[in-house]
Amino acid sequence: MNSINKKQHFVPQELSDYVAPDCHGLNFFDVDTGLQDLMHCYMPEDLRSHMEPHFKKLGQIAGTDLDDWSREADRHIPKLHTRDARGRNEDWIEFHPSYRKMEEVALGQFGIHCMSRKSGVLGWEGVVPPVAKYIFQYLFGQSEFGQLCPISATDSTAMLIKSYADDKTKDRFLDRMLSQDMNEILKGAQFMTEKTGGSDVSNISLEAREENGTWTLHGEKWFCSCADGDVALLLARPQGAPEGNSGLALFALPRHLDDGRRNSYRIVRLKEKLGSKSMASGEIIFDGAVAYPLGDVGAHPNGGLKMMMDQVNISRLSHGVRAASMMRRCLNEALTVANYRKAFGSTLIEKPLLRRQLMKLMVPTEQALSMFMFVADNLHKADGGDEAAAKRTRILTPLLKYRTARDNVRVATGAMEVRGGNGFIEDWVNPRLVRDAHLGVLWEGTSNINSLDVTTRAIARLGAHEDLGEELTAQLEDNKSIPGQYAGQLKGLVDQTVKFAEEVARSGKETHARKASSALYHVTTATLLANEGTKLGEIGRDARRLLLSRMVVDHKLNSAQPLSMENDAFDTAATDVLLSDKSIKLDEAKAILTL
């Protein structure tokens, strides 16, 4: 259910009234009843009740001020100044004031970057569990995509420094990276990609030299996210180290040295990106820049890369959350138009073909919401020592990143089409959503890289698919409210999918990696949606997620017959419910499920 689904009374007073509005001015938490419902599935009551006022507050900011600032920052992109007035190479990046206001909300007011690294943020006694942190990112990202990169980079950089740096390096950086004081905070960054390639880090040539206990960097990086970061993580090859992944080490690079001087590297150009324009990405040359190693350099084969993979997995989860948040904004924009705009004698929401199109936006949006909350829950359990949850997290993060990034592109394009010609005009949010969506398939691994990570590593090396399959089967067996025949169908699909994914992994047929990954994602979300819908129905909340589960099964997992007309009795009845603003009871959902 979504309050945007309520039909608006269209009474035009002038010609401009025929143009459908957008979502600006809404509280993005209040209108998202799906999120509010799922909080009852994935958050304990004390955490939920404590955080809900904060979610509501950010939802209001996201729908108003943050939405305005994000549009301004997208128009007024960062500007690189390479020298100061006296000709010194004191390069700095100028940001529009709106960008700084968004930083103040994310980092200063809400502490999204540090809430899961230190106690007491937003008055919570301990560290904030991942599911709550990612809900904050989800709400924030519905208006601003670009700044979620430095938020996540600061979070994950602090995590790696806390986990692997020596005490002196921790003392140097950690407290300020976890600060909410905008006058003292050190923001994180990652400088990884080189001209030799992005995903294949074995070709990294940035050289690290050690002299009298001090490490310096020499060379360049080609695509540096958050180029203005105060502390950047990067992989470099120590002088004399072997080629390939085994010779890489991980370093923390400060923008300024302990005495306040600028470190010896230069930002030589900012990238003119298709999307995520508010955040500065650049090219950097290192000329003896001082850096601090994380861990014992050369002590363990692939040590630097293994440490960096901790960051990659967290970043992939964050990217899945960003995709979920952007799809939610796209769906809300489409529903706003469909409930307002009239054409050919009736409101667009009443047109059968458009209703089908809206479902193609809604289903992947709700899948992404369930999936990221499930992954965050498993991450929390893994942090508590649950080994099975850790293995599930290892396979779930690339699954989430792979599928949501691809779905986001289609959903953004579909929402633009619903708005029509105005959706192609920069006065509206749709063009930016389309541009930003495409970046998701590039950051932290392309679709091929993430699907291969699922099959060749998470499955072939760790057997994580078995732990995932066991968890999904347990959910179906333990939940007696899922209709027996449908539960049996889902259990059969889980079994088939897990076996198929293992067959792909063991056979080494890389061409099927994306097919196997998509199937795992869809069977996971179909199971989650069924479990969530019935559990919510049992406590008197909306049971519609049970119907979304079958939508996934019918349209994502079962083979379609392209030259036949399917029996659409279920689709029609389910669509009527899912596009309604009325809550559905569990018995009603079960009745529709059998159509």
Side-chain angles (χ1 to χ4, degrees), residues 364-433:
T365 299
E366 298 295 352
Q367 284 181 277
L369 176 60
S370 291
M371 188 68 158
F372 94 66
M373 295 188 80
F374 179 60
V375 181
D377 183 55
N378 275 274
L379 176 62
H380 182 59
K381 293 174 181 175
D383 289 343
D386 187 329
E387 294 184 4
K391 291 175 72 175
R392 289 195 296 270
T393 303
R394 180 61 186 84
I395 192 172
L396 287 167
T397 48
L399 281 177
L400 176 73
K401 165 62 172 62
Y402 161 66
R403 192 63 259 168
T404 58
R406 299 189 63 76
D407 288 343
N408 192 15
V409 173
R410 297 183 67 180
V411 170
T413 304
M416 178 178 66
E417 185 179 11
V418 172
R419 187 170 290 281
N422 283 331
F424 205 65
I425 305 303
E426 294 288 347
D427 291 342
W428 304 88
V429 72
N430 295 91
R432 178 161 57 89
L433 290 169

Side-chain angles (χ1 to χ4, degrees), residues 36 52 73 101 248 334 427 454 490 493 538:
Q36 294 169 37
E52 188 163 338
K101 292 176 182 177
L248 297 176
D427 291 342
V454 170
L490 284 173
L493 287 169
E538 287 173 342

Side-chain angles (χ1 to χ4, degrees), residues 88-207:
R88 293 172 294 192
N89 292 326
E90 294 282 347
D91 53 26
W92 61 282
I93 301 174
E94 177 184 357
F95 290 88
H96 190 269
S98 292
Y99 186 85
R100 298 304 187 194
K101 292 176 182 177
M102 292 191 292
E103 280 187 329
E104 170 60 36
V105 169
L107 306 175
Q109 188 172 350
F110 287 91
I112 302 175
H113 68 296
C114 64
M115 61 173 53
S116 61
R117 307 296 163 206
K118 70 175 185 179
S119 300
V121 176
L122 297 179
W124 183 249
E125 185 175 351
V127 296
V128 174
V131 67
K133 175 179 71 174
Y134 289 115
I135 290 174
F136 283 112
Q137 290 195 18
Y138 170 78
L139 293 168
F140 191 93
Q142 290 181 47
S143 282
E144 168 61 10
F145 174 76
Q147 197 161 122
L148 283 175
C149 182
I151 293 170
S152 178
T154 304
D155 179 9
S156 58
T157 298
M159 177 189 72
L160 263 64
I161 289 175
K162 184 176 182 179
S163 298
Y164 297 113
D166 60 28
D167 289 340
K168 288 185 178 179
T169 303
K170 290 178 184 178
D171 292 342
R172 183 176 280 112
F173 300 127
L174 198 53
D175 284 348
R176 292 183 62 189
M177 294 198 74
L178 301 179
S179 174
Q180 292 177 251
D181 184 340
M182 299 307 294
N183 292 317
E184 74 166 21
I185 187 173
L186 296 177
K187 290 171 285 187
Q190 269 96 47
F191 301 166
M192 292 294 161
T193 307
E194 299 187 9
K195 291 178 180 177
T196 51
S199 298
D200 186 2
V201 298
S202 64
N203 291 324
I204 281 178
S205 61
L206 180 69
E207 186 178 64

Side-chain angles (χ1 to χ4, degrees), residues 304-486:
L305 182 59
K306 287 180 178 179
M307 287 185 281
M308 197 63 211
M309 285 306 298
D310 290 349
Q311 180 275 332
V312 169
N313 287 326
I314 292 296
S315 184
R316 284 176 174 171
L317 171 51
S318 178
H319 273 286
V321 176
R322 294 175 220 181
S325 69
M326 292 172 65
M327 282 191 272
R328 178 65 63 187
R329 179 63 185 270
C330 291
L331 174 61
N332 286 347
E333 291 291 329
L335 289 171
T336 297
V337 173
N339 280 286
Y340 182 91
R341 180 78 168 160
K342 281 192 173 183
F344 307 109
S346 62
T347 307
L348 294 185
I349 194 69
E350 299 172 18
K351 308 294 185 183
L353 195 54
L354 184 68
R355 292 171 75 81
R356 185 180 179 92
Q357 184 177 355
L358 289 172
M359 295 312 302
K360 291 183 178 180
L361 309 184
M362 181 181 291
V363 171
T365 299
E366 298 295 352
Q367 284 181 277
L369 176 60
S370 291
M371 188 68 158
F372 94 66
M373 295 188 80
F374 179 60
V375 181
D377 183 55
N378 275 274
L379 176 62
H380 182 59
K381 293 174 181 175
D383 289 343
D386 187 329
E387 294 184 4
K391 291 175 72 175
R392 289 195 296 270
T393 303
R394 180 61 186 84
I395 192 172
L396 287 167
T397 48
L399 281 177
L400 176 73
K401 165 62 172 62
Y402 161 66
R403 192 63 259 168
T404 58
R406 299 189 63 76
D407 288 343
N408 192 15
V409 173
R410 297 183 67 180
V411 170
T413 304
M416 178 178 66
E417 185 179 11
V418 172
R419 187 170 290 281
N422 283 331
F424 205 65
I425 305 303
E426 294 288 347
D427 291 342
W428 304 88
V429 72
N430 295 91
R432 178 161 57 89
L433 290 169
V434 171
R435 293 197 308 269
D436 287 351
H438 281 79
L439 186 54
V441 298
L442 304 175
W443 262 345
E444 298 299 358
T446 61
S447 300
N448 288 348
I449 292 297
N450 277 278
S451 63
L452 288 171
D453 189 40
V454 170
T455 57
T456 65
R457 295 184 179 88
I459 295 177
R461 297 182 186 177
L462 297 178
H465 61 304
E466 296 176 354
D467 296 87
L468 177 59
E470 289 171 2
E471 168 63 21
L472 298 178
T473 300
Q475 286 193 16
L476 294 168
E477 291 179 345
D478 295 343
N479 187 340
K480 304 305 180 184
S481 293
I482 302 175
Q485 185 174 354
Y486 186 60

